[in-house]
Amino acid sequence: MLMLCVEAMSSSESPRGSVGIYGWRKRCLYLLIVVLVAVVIVNLSLTLWLLKVMQFSSDGMGKLKIVEDGLQLRGRAMVLDALVASTIRSRPGAPISVDSSHNFSISARDHMGRTVSKLLLGSDHLECLARGFRVTDSKGDVLFSATRSEVEVGADSLRVTGGAVFEGSVQTPVVRADSGFDLRLESPTRSLQVKAPQGVAIESRAGDISASCLTDLKLQSVAGTVRLEAANVFLPGLREAGKGGAPSGRVSQDVFQLCACANGRIFLAQPDAVCAADSDVCR
């Protein structure tokens, strides 16, 4: 009788001690698993769709390919921020163009991160920040070079269509104007000096040469002579001695004596008179 009671008690207590999820908990677990599976499937589908749209492959992404020495882009690229690269070049036989809505700048920095050279292309100006600026041809010969101390033009000729203003000195072997145009060297408020170690040649092959000044025009030779070589030499306006220092206005008499004062001033005298003048003429 006792054994039957124990078996009855054990059989009645066994359902109470079993472990498991029943009822609404089981349904919530199944629902959570289904939602997670759906999310995983959606994420996987979106990932595959992005890979297909962006054209991802083992070589790169779309028109952007990963090559041995860098990246290769076929088409147009839009840079939203700074672009840092050591070399940018186009495909063989194809041009390269860089377009910007505001300005375009290229900078070079040293090992300390400081800007040493910069090229800025703005909407209405071009700026170049560098210690030196040089333009060469295909052979490597310098066509134009500019530093803080000097500007060098390596071409055979420098053509200036308008006027040129130089605040310092200009060193050149030849200064000439185009055919049919005048050449004018002018210093409005200061002096104008033309110097050469061997000689200075002023030549006009098809016209006149005129030199005018406000006070004195000096032709000076330290170790040589001043030579005037021409078929006719005109010195109008010379003073005539014995006429009160006034310029000679005679028309009937065309021959005069050419005399000189002790200070080098020349004057005219009558052909039959003594070549002498008073202090007013030689003053």
Side-chain angles (χ1 to χ4, degrees):
M1 188 70 179
L2 181 60
M3 294 179 60
L4 293 174
C5 291
V6 172
E7 291 179 356
M9 292 177 61
S10 62
S11 60
S12 61
E13 291 179 357
S14 58
R16 298 179 183 178
S18 61
V19 179
I21 300 175
Y22 303 97
W24 63 272
R25 292 185 178 87
K26 180 184 293 186
R27 289 192 294 270
C28 291
L29 179 61
Y30 289 160
L31 180 61
L32 180 61
I33 294 175
V34 171
V35 171
L36 291 178
V37 172
V39 170
V40 171
I41 294 174
V42 170
N43 288 335
L44 183 60
S45 301
L46 290 176
T47 303
L48 295 177
W49 179 75
L50 288 176
L51 291 176
K52 183 178 180 181
V53 171
M54 301 299 294
Q55 299 180 1
F56 278 98
S57 63
S58 60
D59 297 332
M61 180 183 65
K63 297 182 179 180
L64 183 63
K65 304 295 182 181
I66 301 176
V67 295
E68 182 178 359
D69 54 350
L71 298 176
Q72 182 180 1
L73 175 64
R74 296 181 179 272
R76 302 180 61 183
M78 181 178 295
V79 180
L80 301 179
D81 203 352
L83 176 62
V84 181
S86 59
T87 303
I88 300 176
R89 64 175 181 266
S90 63
R91 300 191 306 271
I96 183 172
S97 61
V98 180
D99 188 10
S100 176
S101 60
H102 294 286
N103 58 61
F104 175 72
S105 61
I106 302 175
S107 301
R109 303 179 183 272
D110 57 3
H111 63 282
M112 298 296 293
R114 295 171 298 185
T115 302
V116 294
S117 300
K118 184 176 181 180
L119 179 64
L120 174 62
L121 179 61
S123 58
D124 57 351
H125 65 283
L126 173 64
E127 294 182 5
C128 179
L129 173 63
R131 296 181 179 178
F133 181 76
R134 179 179 297 180
V135 179
T136 60
D137 57 3
S138 58
K139 298 180 180 179
D141 298 333
V142 178
L143 299 179
F144 180 82
S145 175
T147 60
R148 187 177 182 85
S149 58
E150 65 177 3
V151 175
E152 177 185 356
V153 179
D156 296 335
S157 62
L158 174 63
R159 184 183 300 273
V160 180
T161 56
V165 179
F166 301 96
E167 296 182 357
S169 60
V170 179
Q171 182 177 354
T172 177
V174 178
V175 178
R176 67 172 180 265
D178 290 337
S179 301
F181 295 91
D182 298 334
L183 175 63
R184 185 174 183 178
L185 302 178
E186 182 181 10
S187 178
T189 58
R190 294 295 185 268
S191 60
L192 178 63
Q193 298 180 2
V194 180
K195 297 180 180 180
Q198 295 183 357
V200 176
I202 301 175
E203 180 183 359
S204 177
R205 299 180 180 179
D208 300 334
I209 296 178
S210 62
S212 61
C213 61
L214 179 61
T215 55
D216 297 334
L217 179 62
K218 297 180 181 180
L219 298 177
Q220 182 181 1
S221 178
V222 178
T225 58
V226 177
R227 182 177 300 175
L228 300 176
E229 295 182 359
N232 299 312
V233 178
F234 295 92
L235 299 175
L238 294 179
R239 293 186 176 183
E240 182 181 349
K243 296 296 182 181
S248 177
R250 289 191 177 185
V251 181
S252 59
Q253 188 174 358
D254 297 334
V255 179
F256 293 91
Q257 294 186 77
L258 186 61
C259 306
C261 301
N263 58 4
R265 175 171 292 181
I266 57 177
F267 61 93
L268 299 179
Q270 295 294 327
D272 54 353
V274 179
C275 193
D278 51 10
S279 59
D280 293 336
V281 178
C282 295
R283 181 179 302 175

